[in-house]
Amino acid sequence: MVSDPGFTCSCCGQHHAEPPMSYSTMAPDVWDESCADDPDSMLSSDQCVVGAKHYFVKGLIEIPVIGGDESFSWGVWVSLSGDNFARALQVWNRLGRESEEPYFGWLTTELALYAPSTINLRTHVHTRPVGERPLIELEPTDHPLAVEQRSGITRERIREITEAVLHPGGTGGSGGTGGAGGTGRI
């Protein structure tokens, strides 16, 4: 007999496939489409510059799953100082780059499933081997996202997150108010 890893959604009553173990945003919250025409701005899948004065890298906030060996992750953007961004670019394709000291940064992705806002949470960006996104470590505060990163989440919490992402503004377990919008709000 084959086990169905899906779940019945508390928002719509429909059966959904197994919840994804990650969600990601396309750009930092400060990016808007007018930036694409600015020669001092750029957006790639890993790096972003706005107006030649704001610098960002994409990384993963990894959250352990309680009772499992896997992690749930949020693909988010973090702002770096100009010097740290320049250093990150300098070693971007260099073998051994994971030996870099972590860079300080500010979270620049609004994860609307959390209150208070996730914008400007303090982070440490840990460079990993070439081909892997940086690990984003939140400073240990009482913010719910930081608590989840330290303590882990249950499979039920992953289902709540999935329901909130599928049904922004719905009445699911987490009362999510976001969705995958143009600026990458989740």
Side-chain angles (χ1 to χ4, degrees):
M1 181 174 175
V2 176
S3 174
D4 178 5
F7 68 102
T8 301
C9 182
S10 68
C11 291
C12 68
Q14 298 294 313
H15 184 80
H16 295 299
E18 182 176 16
M21 293 301 289
S22 66
Y23 291 96
S24 187
T25 58
M26 299 299 290
D29 274 21
V30 299
W31 180 267
D32 82 27
E33 292 309 312
S34 68
C35 296
D37 298 326
D38 177 0
D40 291 328
S41 298
M42 64 77 73
L43 175 66
S44 74
S45 60
D46 297 305
Q47 302 146 358
C48 180
V49 177
V50 175
K53 58 184 172 185
H54 302 286
Y55 307 95
F56 309 90
V57 294
K58 189 171 187 179
L60 299 174
I61 296 174
E62 294 182 347
I63 302 172
V65 177
I66 296 169
D69 294 331
E70 55 195 334
S71 295
F72 175 85
S73 65
W74 291 109
V76 298
W77 292 85
V78 174
S79 67
L80 296 179
S81 70
D83 289 344
N84 283 342
F85 185 76
R87 177 64 184 163
L89 288 182
Q90 183 181 16
V91 300
W92 197 260
N93 292 310
R94 186 181 296 168
L95 293 178
R97 70 180 191 170
E98 62 273 16
S99 64
E100 283 288 299
E101 289 293 316
Y103 307 120
F104 174 80
W106 299 97
L107 186 61
T108 56
T109 299
E110 180 67 62
L111 298 174
L113 305 174
Y114 296 91
S117 173
T118 57
I119 294 291
N120 290 328
L121 290 177
R122 296 170 62 95
T123 70
H124 297 279
V125 179
H126 297 267
T127 305
R128 297 199 273 197
V130 172
E132 292 184 38
R133 289 202 191 279
L135 172 68
I136 307 302
E137 176 190 12
L138 297 167
E139 286 202 349
T141 65
D142 62 354
H143 189 282
L145 181 58
V147 171
E148 285 184 350
Q149 188 177 41
R150 285 192 315 273
S151 303
I153 58 175
T154 64
R155 289 232 170 250
E156 181 58 33
R157 174 66 175 139
I158 295 169
R159 285 187 198 97
E160 290 174 0
I161 290 168
T162 300
E163 289 177 355
V165 170
L166 289 173
H167 306 287
T171 58
S174 66
T177 59
T183 60
R185 291 198 191 301
I186 296 179

